[in-house]
Amino acid sequence: MQHIHKPNYYLDLLAVNRCAMAKMVLLPVLLSFLLLPFASLALTQDFCVADLSCSDTPSGYPCKSSVTANDFYFHGLAAKGKINTLIQAAVTPAFVGQFPGVNGLGISAARLDMEVGGVVPLHSHPAGSELLFVTQGTVAAGFISSGSNTPYYKTLYAGDIMVFPQGLLHYQYNAGTGPAVALVAFSSANPGLQITDFALFANNLPSAIVEKVTFLDDATVKKLKSVLGGSG
C-alpha cells in the first residue's frame, strides 16, 4: 500500500514559530550592535563646546580643548536688542555662533523685541522647531502647513506659548498698544533663518523672474526691491 504523507500542521506551526522566535531574538542583538557606537559616544563625552575658530560642519563645530564655566553661560538676552527700523523689531540670537556651549546639544534660544507695529515677516527655520514664550505685550503669531497650506494662528498674551514646527513658514507681529517681548527656544544649536520677503526682494534676482514666480506686476516688484535693498 502506498503511504500518503499528510502534513502535520502542529509541526509546521511549531517550525514557523521557531523561525519567528529566532528573528525576534536576533533583531535586538543586531540593534544592540548597531547602536553600540552611538551609545559609547554619548557615554564618553558630556558636551562639545564649539571651537568657533574652526569651520562649522553638518554635525556641528569641532570641540574646544579647554573649557570653562563661561562657555555654558550667555548674558546676551538680558537687554533689549537693537531695533531694525524697517520691521520695528529686533531678534537677539543665542545660537552656537554666540553661545558655543549649545554646540551638539540640539538647543538654542533668542530674544524677540517688537515696538508698536513691529513685525517679523513670514520666515522659516530649516534646521529646527521653534517655541515662542511671550513675556510682555500682545503678539499675533501663526504658521502655515506644508501640505494643505492650512494656517494656524493665535493672539498671544504674556505667559502664553506657541510652537512652530521645523521648516514651516511662520510670522509674529505686535498686536498690542505697547512694546512686546518674547523668549524663543529652538530644537537646534543653529536653526537657520530664511525670511521670504528678503529672499525674493533683497537680492539681485531679476525682476522678471520674481514677477513670474509671484504673479506680482513689475511696479510692485521694483517697489519692494527698492524698500528691501534689492536690485535687478
Side-chain angles (χ1 to χ4, degrees):
M1 179 182 293
Q2 185 179 4
H3 177 71
I4 300 176
H5 174 72
K6 295 182 179 180
N8 189 320
Y9 293 103
Y10 292 104
L11 291 177
D12 291 344
L13 183 60
L14 182 60
V16 171
N17 286 340
R18 281 202 302 268
C19 292
M21 289 176 65
K23 291 178 180 178
M24 290 174 64
V25 172
L26 184 60
L27 184 59
V29 174
L30 290 174
L31 286 175
S32 298
F33 279 107
L34 289 172
L35 295 175
L36 186 59
F38 300 99
S40 299
L41 286 174
L43 290 173
T44 58
Q45 190 163 318
D46 293 331
F47 49 79
C48 177
V49 175
D51 184 348
L52 298 180
S53 66
C54 299
S55 298
D56 194 6
T57 71
S59 58
Y61 283 91
C63 308
K64 281 178 61 176
S65 57
S66 179
V67 176
T68 71
N70 286 334
D71 291 308
F72 305 100
Y73 164 83
F74 184 71
H75 190 66
L77 304 188
K80 178 180 178 180
K82 184 178 180 181
I83 297 295
N84 180 298
T85 56
L86 177 63
I87 62 174
Q88 286 298 302
V91 177
T92 306
F95 300 162
V96 65
Q98 299 80 32
F99 189 12
V102 301
N103 187 51
L105 299 182
I107 55 172
S108 61
R111 170 176 170 151
L112 171 61
D113 292 280
M114 291 188 288
E115 300 290 1
V116 175
V119 58
V120 181
L122 274 175
H123 64 284
S124 64
H125 303 289
S129 297
E130 174 183 338
L131 186 71
L132 183 83
F133 171 47
V134 178
T135 61
Q136 177 185 333
T138 305
V139 176
F143 67 89
I144 302 168
S145 69
S146 62
S148 60
N149 287 317
T150 302
Y152 299 90
Y153 53 94
K154 293 288 290 183
T155 300
L156 309 175
Y157 304 93
D160 290 342
I161 62 175
M162 186 169 183
V163 67
F164 307 91
Q166 178 175 341
L168 296 187
L169 288 170
H170 59 286
Y171 66 87
Q172 295 99 15
Y173 66 84
N174 188 339
T177 57
V181 181
L183 296 177
V184 189
F186 295 95
S187 63
S188 169
N190 191 11
L193 170 66
Q194 185 170 42
I195 299 177
T196 306
D197 292 336
F198 286 78
L200 287 170
F201 307 111
N203 53 37
N204 62 353
L205 185 64
S207 295
I209 295 177
V210 179
E211 293 161 23
K212 191 73 173 178
V213 300
T214 62
F215 305 107
L216 296 174
D217 60 71
D218 183 68
T220 301
V221 169
K222 283 186 167 54
K223 178 181 178 181
L224 289 169
K225 278 181 171 285
S226 174
V227 170
L228 297 176
S231 62

